[in-house]
Structures are given as C-alpha cells and as structure tokens.
Amino acid sequence: MQTDPPAVSDIIKSFEANGEHFDYKLSPSRPDPYLSPLEWSPDSTRLLIGYQWYDDQMRVQSGSFVYEPLTNSVSRLTQNAPSEADHVPAVKPDGFTW
C-alpha cells in the first residue's frame, strides 16, 4: 500500500489539537516540508520522521515525529531550536525508543 505523508499544516493542526505548542507560523512563501524517514518501528507500523520547514521569519524549524501510515496519524513530537542554517541534518532524538 502506498500513502502520501501528511501536509505540514495537517501535522501542525494535529499536534495543536493534542496540546502541543508552536512558537512560530509557517512561511507563506515556503510551505514545503523536508521530511526524512529515520527508522521504522520494530513491528513496521510506525515511522520516525525527521522534519524541517521554514517559519515566517525564514528560520528553519526542525525536529521529529512518529507517523502511522495506516491511520495517517502523528505523535511523539520533538521540536529543535530554530536555526538560521539552510539545512539541519535529520537525527533520531536522544533517548528515543519504541
């Protein structure tokens, strides 16, 4: 089965609905995300994804989340500090376990 990853706005809305807070707004001129698969769960039902996208100040916002393709749901958000760099390497969060 093939599925498309969720849109950035859907990812943010989903996390905000679950009480997560974002201290920024997405860039209207750069709404394109850079999503990097990092690791499948041992049962292959979830995927740890590294993300980065630009905020409205053109800073790179990055971090990771767990994506479940069968339900198109996201969980376990990790947010990094904003960066002025053009690219932030996607990495598994310290201490992350399934």
Side-chain angles (χ1 to χ4, degrees):
M1 179 175 103
Q2 181 178 346
T3 185
D4 291 328
V8 175
S9 58
D10 293 336
I11 293 168
I12 290 175
K13 285 177 191 172
S14 179
F15 280 120
E16 287 179 335
N18 289 321
E20 294 287 352
H21 179 72
F22 294 85
D23 291 330
Y24 60 88
K25 293 183 181 178
L26 289 176
S27 168
S29 62
R30 290 293 312 266
D32 52 321
Y34 184 76
L35 304 175
S36 302
L38 297 173
E39 180 179 282
W40 280 100
S41 63
D43 63 2
S44 299
T45 61
R46 295 165 291 157
L47 178 62
L48 177 63
I49 295 180
Y51 73 86
Q52 72 174 24
W53 47 65
Y54 288 93
D55 66 18
D56 60 353
Q57 312 256 320
M58 292 309 289
R59 294 176 299 188
V60 172
Q61 298 288 341
S62 66
S64 66
F65 60 89
V66 172
Y67 174 60
E68 190 171 338
L70 293 178
T71 61
N72 204 33
S73 61
V74 294
S75 61
R76 298 182 66 180
L77 175 69
T78 301
Q79 297 184 69
N80 299 331
S83 174
E84 301 293 333
D86 286 334
H87 178 74
V88 176
V91 295
K92 185 175 170 178
D94 289 341
F96 180 89
T97 60
W98 291 102

